[in-house]
Amino acid sequence: MRLPRIFYKKRPRRASRTGPRVVIVGGGFGGLQAAKALGEAPVRVTLVDRRNHHLFQPLLYQVATAVLSPADIAHPIRSVLRDRRNVEVVLGEVEAIDPAAKEVILAEGRLPYDYLILAAGATHAYFGHDEWEPLAPGLKTLEDALAIRRRILLAFEEAEREPDPERRKALMTFVVVGAGPTGVEMAGAIAEIARYSLSRDFRHIDTRDARVILVEASDRALAAFPAGLSRYAIADLKRLGVDVRLGKPVTAIAPGLVTIGDEPIAAETVIWAAGVRASPLGRSLGVALDRAGRVLVNPDLTVPGYPDIFVVGDMAMLNGPDGKPLPGVAQVAMQEGTWAAGNIERAIAGKPLLPFRYRDLGNMATIGRNAAIADIRGLRLTGFIAWLAWALVHIMNLIGFRNRILVALQWLWGYLTFQRGARLITGSPVE
Amino acid sequence: MRLPRIFYKKRPRRASRTGPRVVIVGGGFGGLQAAKALGEAPVRVTLVDRRNHHLFQPLLYQVATAVLSPADIAHPIRSVLRDRRNVEVVLGEVEAIDPAAKEVILAEGRLPYDYLILAAGATHAYFGHDEWEPLAPGLKTLEDALAIRRRILLAFEEAEREPDPERRKALMTFVVVGAGPTGVEMAGAIAEIARYSLSRDFRHIDTRDARVILVEASDRALAAFPAGLSRYAIADLKRLGVDVRLGKPVTAIAPGLVTIGDEPIAAETVIWAAGVRASPLGRSLGVALDRAGRVLVNPDLTVPGYPDIFVVGDMAMLNGPDGKPLPGVAQVAMQEGTWAAGNIERAIAGKPLLPFRYRDLGNMATIGRNAAIADIRGLRLTGFIAWLAWALVHIMNLIGFRNRILVALQWLWGYLTFQRGARLITGSPVE
């Protein structure tokens, strides 16, 4: 079969076999940027990730709330780096770092490096209550998102056939723990599903009776934003019917029961958006970590005592110009990844490393349709404008034309119809 | 927050509480059509399915081969039937039928019926070799499709880091058992992925070296088609590099080794598309079944001895006008579902039931880009025209505007770029 060659370039040569070996651990925002930046440098790059795909985590909550499909926010790492001929991608699980031997230890063997970039990210932390994890899943991977989507949709299905009104109430009560961006976005999205998307589909329950509770131990929601903007966000959440509890810690989680402060609440679905802990790989370096397990890096992003190891993104702890730690967000990770790559090139060229300079491009969160907040270098937006800005920024930052188009279309469709396009309960059939 | 009401109709009244109770088991093509047809009838309908979604199975192989996402070919059963006010949907697993008590037995309890429509479909059968199932998964559910997608993509990932050339060869050998439409479409799709989509992404393997073998015990591929068309399809498969073995039974499947006739072939990935067995629910009726476990129904689709039980789709065995059994395809199931609904209305009205009349709308299969065969009431198409017809028919038959647009777009994108948009390995991380 003869084929049009227009879109079908010939495959690149084998990876360059010369130059220092740079190993990058993690294909998230930080690692991927580093690999791209080193794609033209005189080095041999190996990027290791346990997943075959880069995940656009800022939209993961939309997979969990049935708006998007996993493939819409994920992209194969290999194809992102396809044309960087000196970069190879290895699918594998890194177990530890051996900084003395300068090797990365995988289940399959050891990868020697001349320079190492650690960008393995973070996972959710339960502050010494790991027994809560199965009861209150967090949202970090696509599997997490599908499991949460399954729980939310199954809760309504079970409520529909539940005769006991008390248990039906518990099934229709959703508690989101933690009022950072993820928690706020989850709570808003669940409230919208119950209020609009599902409202006409059931016969025995009125999904609009569903209760969504957002709990935050500190007395500020969205602490990263100016107080005025977070107050606006809270007001929007309340307008959506979300019950917001600030300054109230979750003291206990048991099957079907959450205790907020000293008030027990019957809830079958609890979602954890409260805390994160850096990848345990940091520990294998044997250097100082902060309470969240992040490596206290030098200003040039190297690890104290190891000028050949760089740590970026959620694994790194570095103070910003304001003296406060840089937040665990995509733009910090991306800028650090690029910066670490630049410093490696400087080291190879025998130049001194430069201290990381962070350019804060702004901060955004969405509450629901027409409702968002944005703080873009002092410019503060709310409502429809902020929501539109949020949508555009996120679409532009997705990897791949296909994903941008698909996400934009599905948002448009959802906006017009109030429906959710990915309302699938997958995994094992109903138990 | 005030909301535009344009797209947001008020929810329907509660389900009608009068009229005979019709229970439909299964929300596939047959069950869904029956529920729609009964949506205006003076009956109370309950549709039971273990899944919350209707699945468009003809495109399932495209989820397995990373073209589409699960949500693109699935639709929540509830929202399809949202405006049929006398229909309610129950998510539940039917364990058996009690025809004497006229009850459907679920894990959660019993559903009494006046009329029953059994449309629980079929699953894959291993002809007495159930031990092959874990080694050679079949393709019936979204979970099956994601598991197969995972196996195919992981095989290339493992080959990329495999030093032993023999094992690398086995990892890059894919055996598809059964040359019906599903087998042919799977084999063609895998060959295309290896030949185009992945060809530039790896550094140590050339994915175009991958071997795809299609095995068929009988001496005819696509037996449902005229001989000329199936020969055309085989020629196309060979042009894609597929190694087609007709008249060769698979005699043994062991981990990493498939025996075709008496020739052992080292292959890490085997996909089963050879046989189906009807849902075991048929057995609980205690009536005559054929070898595939299908109920031998009366011409009016009722079960011999049970004028109140109808069986449709892959669970039913009925001969067509040509004296040959009607095939297990969507159009047969849909027409039978509508027909059963009509006969129930006639029974309620005291009219005699009518024997099912099948209108064969034609038969299509696709081999790959620009390559398909179609037999539309004598009109025989091949190549690009058949492929275009295939694409249009399948898009038109998808449920929901959203899914039609998304599938059309992803096909267009894949056609132009040769890429696969859903190249995700999900499930547990690499083992």
Side-chain angles (χ1 to χ4, degrees):
Chain A
M1 187 168 58
R2 274 265 133 277
L3 285 150
R5 285 286 168 174
I6 327 150
F7 290 89
Y8 178 44
K9 300 195 232 110
K10 53 192 269 297
R11 64 203 298 273
R13 278 183 262 103
R14 296 259 176 264
S16 118
R17 290 263 161 276
T18 62
R21 294 156 305 184
V22 180
V23 172
I24 301 172
V25 178
F29 288 108
L32 203 54
Q33 285 304 313
K36 285 179 174 176
L38 290 168
E40 306 306 322
V43 292
R44 287 170 286 172
V45 181
T46 304
L47 187 153
V48 189
D49 197 294
R50 81 226 283 202
R51 309 276 175 179
N52 81 321
H53 52 270
H54 168 78
L55 179 61
F56 192 77
Q57 275 186 351
L59 290 179
L60 195 53
Y61 83 97
Q62 295 213 344
V63 173
T65 52
V67 178
L68 298 174
S69 289
D72 301 334
I73 62 165
H75 200 95
I77 296 168
R78 292 193 178 285
S79 47
V80 180
L81 299 170
R82 165 183 296 167
D83 298 323
R84 306 297 204 288
R85 298 173 177 184
N86 61 329
V87 180
E88 69 177 71
V89 177
V90 172
L91 181 73
E93 176 104 49
V94 174
E95 293 171 343
I97 309 300
D98 182 341
K102 302 186 72 166
E103 290 179 328
V104 172
I105 302 166
L106 291 103
E108 295 77 17
R110 287 167 161 253
L111 273 177
Y113 63 80
D114 299 304
Y115 296 94
L116 174 65
I117 299 179
L118 280 178
T123 179
H124 21 266
Y126 289 82
F127 312 125
H129 284 287
D130 291 352
E131 71 277 12
W132 290 355
E133 181 155 21
L135 304 168
L139 187 65
K140 273 288 171 193
T141 67
L142 284 171
E143 289 75 16
D144 293 338
L146 293 175
I148 288 173
R149 178 164 92 187
R150 173 181 167 79
R151 285 188 187 216
I152 294 171
L153 296 176
L154 270 180
F156 287 106
E157 293 291 338
E158 285 172 30
E160 170 80 347
R161 32 166 223 255
E162 177 58 57
D164 169 20
E166 277 314 303
R167 177 158 158 76
R168 204 185 307 129
K169 192 151 173 281
L171 282 163
M172 289 174 68
T173 303
F174 302 83
V175 177
V176 179
V177 185
T182 304
V184 165
E185 289 169 338
M186 277 296 298
I190 297 171
E192 282 194 330
I193 291 179
R195 193 162 162 173
Y196 311 121
S197 314
L198 301 181
S199 61
R200 290 156 53 211
D201 290 11
F202 292 84
R203 299 290 182 258
H204 303 291
I205 57 171
D206 185 338
T207 60
R208 292 168 299 183
D209 300 339
R211 223 172 133 208
V212 182
I213 305 173
L214 178 63
V215 199
E216 168 62 44
S218 81
D219 53 12
R220 265 294 295 284
L222 298 168
F225 289 83
L229 284 181
S230 27
R231 270 197 304 278
Y232 176 93
I234 297 306
D236 262 346
L237 277 175
K238 288 180 173 164
R239 236 172 271 122
L240 265 175
V242 176
D243 173 356
V244 184
R245 313 279 188 94
L246 299 179
K248 290 264 172 40
V250 166
T251 50
I253 303 178
L257 193 73
V258 185
T259 310
I260 298 175
D262 45 21
E263 175 192 3
I265 292 174
E268 288 292 329
T269 310
V270 185
I271 294 157
W272 189 261
V276 296
R277 186 197 309 119
S279 154
L281 282 183
R283 252 184 267 123
S284 63
L285 296 174
V287 298
L289 310 175
D290 73 355
R291 273 175 48 254
R294 295 179 297 178
V295 177
L296 305 169
V297 294
N298 297 322
D300 60 11
L301 301 175
T302 57
V303 175
Y306 297 108
D308 51 356
I309 303 181
F310 296 76
V311 183
V312 303
D314 290 358
M315 271 188 81
M317 155 63 198
L318 183 64
N319 286 327
D322 57 2
K324 281 193 294 180
L326 292 169
V329 297
Q331 57 172 329
V332 171
M334 293 170 90
Q335 291 181 38
E336 286 178 344
T338 312
W339 200 274
N343 269 345
I344 287 175
E345 291 197 61
R346 294 182 65 84
I348 292 167
K351 298 185 193 146
L353 306 193
L354 299 176
F356 175 61
R357 274 199 317 278
Y358 176 53
R359 276 183 63 247
D360 186 348
L361 301 172
N363 211 350
M364 297 177 156
T366 176
I367 297 97
R369 54 190 297 120
N370 306 339
I373 58 175
D375 174 22
I376 302 160
R377 319 173 125 228
L379 169 66
R380 293 174 187 182
L381 305 173
T382 59
F384 179 73
I385 296 295
W387 181 78
L388 207 60
W390 175 89
L392 288 176
V393 166
H394 282 75
I395 285 173
M396 282 170 358
N397 280 291
L398 278 167
I399 292 178
F401 179 70
R402 169 190 176 277
N403 288 2
R404 293 194 190 110
I405 294 291
L406 289 182
V407 169
L409 267 170
Q410 291 179 88
W411 283 355
L412 179 66
W413 181 83
Y415 188 80
L416 295 177
T417 63
F418 289 82
Q419 293 307 307
R420 298 289 174 260
R423 259 177 60 194
L424 298 189
I425 298 174
T426 46
S428 56
V430 276
E431 48 274 344
Chain B
M1 188 168 62
R2 276 261 134 278
L3 286 150
R5 286 285 169 175
I6 329 151
F7 291 90
Y8 178 44
K9 301 194 231 109
K10 52 193 271 296
R11 63 203 298 271
R13 277 183 262 101
R14 294 261 177 263
S16 119
R17 289 264 161 275
T18 62
R21 293 157 305 183
V22 180
V23 173
I24 301 172
V25 178
F29 288 107
L32 204 53
Q33 285 303 313
K36 285 179 174 177
L38 289 168
E40 306 307 323
V43 290
R44 287 170 286 171
V45 181
T46 304
L47 187 153
V48 189
D49 198 293
R50 83 228 280 208
R51 310 275 175 179
N52 80 321
H53 53 270
H54 168 79
L55 180 62
F56 191 78
Q57 275 186 349
L59 290 179
L60 196 53
Y61 82 97
Q62 296 214 344
V63 174
T65 51
V67 177
L68 299 174
S69 289
D72 301 334
I73 61 165
H75 203 286
I77 296 168
R78 292 192 178 287
S79 47
V80 181
L81 299 170
R82 166 183 294 166
D83 298 323
R84 305 296 204 288
R85 297 173 176 182
N86 62 330
V87 179
E88 69 177 70
V89 177
V90 172
L91 180 73
E93 176 105 47
V94 173
E95 294 172 342
I97 310 299
D98 182 343
K102 301 186 72 164
E103 289 179 329
V104 172
I105 303 167
L106 292 99
E108 294 79 16
R110 288 168 160 253
L111 272 177
Y113 64 80
D114 299 304
Y115 296 94
L116 175 65
I117 299 179
L118 281 177
T123 179
H124 20 264
Y126 289 83
F127 312 125
H129 283 288
D130 290 354
E131 72 277 13
W132 290 354
E133 181 155 22
L135 303 168
L139 187 65
K140 274 288 171 191
T141 68
L142 284 171
E143 289 75 17
D144 294 337
L146 294 176
I148 289 174
R149 179 166 90 188
R150 175 182 164 78
R151 286 190 187 215
I152 295 171
L153 296 176
L154 270 180
F156 287 106
E157 293 291 339
E158 285 171 32
E160 170 80 349
R161 25 167 231 254
E162 177 58 57
D164 169 21
E166 277 315 303
R167 176 156 159 75
R168 202 185 308 129
K169 192 150 171 278
L171 283 163
M172 289 175 69
T173 303
F174 301 85
V175 176
V176 179
V177 185
T182 304
V184 165
E185 288 169 339
M186 277 297 297
I190 296 171
E192 282 195 329
I193 290 179
R195 192 159 162 175
Y196 310 122
S197 314
L198 301 181
S199 60
R200 290 157 53 214
D201 290 11
F202 292 82
R203 299 290 181 257
H204 303 291
I205 58 171
D206 185 336
T207 61
R208 292 168 299 183
D209 299 339
R211 218 171 138 208
V212 182
I213 304 172
L214 178 64
V215 200
E216 168 61 44
S218 82
D219 52 12
R220 266 292 295 283
L222 299 168
F225 289 85
L229 285 180
S230 25
R231 269 195 305 277
Y232 177 94
I234 296 307
D236 262 346
L237 277 176
K238 288 180 172 163
R239 236 173 273 120
L240 265 173
V242 176
D243 173 355
V244 184
R245 313 277 189 96
L246 299 179
K248 291 261 170 45
V250 166
T251 50
I253 303 179
L257 193 72
V258 185
T259 311
I260 299 177
D262 45 22
E263 176 194 3
I265 292 174
E268 288 293 327
T269 310
V270 185
I271 294 158
W272 190 261
V276 296
R277 187 196 307 118
S279 154
L281 282 183
R283 251 182 268 124
S284 62
L285 296 174
V287 298
L289 310 174
D290 72 356
R291 275 175 46 253
R294 294 177 299 178
V295 177
L296 305 169
V297 294
N298 297 323
D300 60 11
L301 301 176
T302 57
V303 176
Y306 298 108
D308 52 357
I309 303 181
F310 296 76
V311 183
V312 303
D314 290 358
M315 271 187 82
M317 155 64 198
L318 184 63
N319 285 329
D322 55 2
K324 280 193 295 179
L326 292 170
V329 297
Q331 58 172 329
V332 170
M334 292 169 89
Q335 292 181 38
E336 286 180 343
T338 312
W339 200 274
N343 269 344
I344 286 175
E345 291 196 60
R346 294 181 64 85
I348 292 167
K351 299 186 194 145
L353 306 192
L354 299 176
F356 175 61
R357 273 199 317 279
Y358 176 53
R359 277 184 62 248
D360 187 347
L361 302 173
N363 212 351
M364 296 177 156
T366 176
I367 298 98
R369 56 188 298 120
N370 306 340
I373 58 175
D375 174 20
I376 302 159
R377 324 176 119 220
L379 168 66
R380 295 176 186 182
L381 304 174
T382 58
F384 179 73
I385 295 295
W387 182 79
L388 207 60
W390 175 89
L392 289 174
V393 165
H394 282 75
I395 284 173
M396 281 168 1
N397 281 292
L398 278 167
I399 292 179
F401 179 70
R402 169 191 175 277
N403 289 2
R404 293 193 191 112
I405 293 291
L406 289 182
V407 169
L409 268 170
Q410 291 179 88
W411 284 353
L412 179 66
W413 181 83
Y415 188 80
L416 296 176
T417 64
F418 289 82
Q419 294 307 306
R420 298 290 174 259
R423 258 176 61 194
L424 299 189
I425 298 172
T426 47
S428 56
V430 278
E431 48 274 343

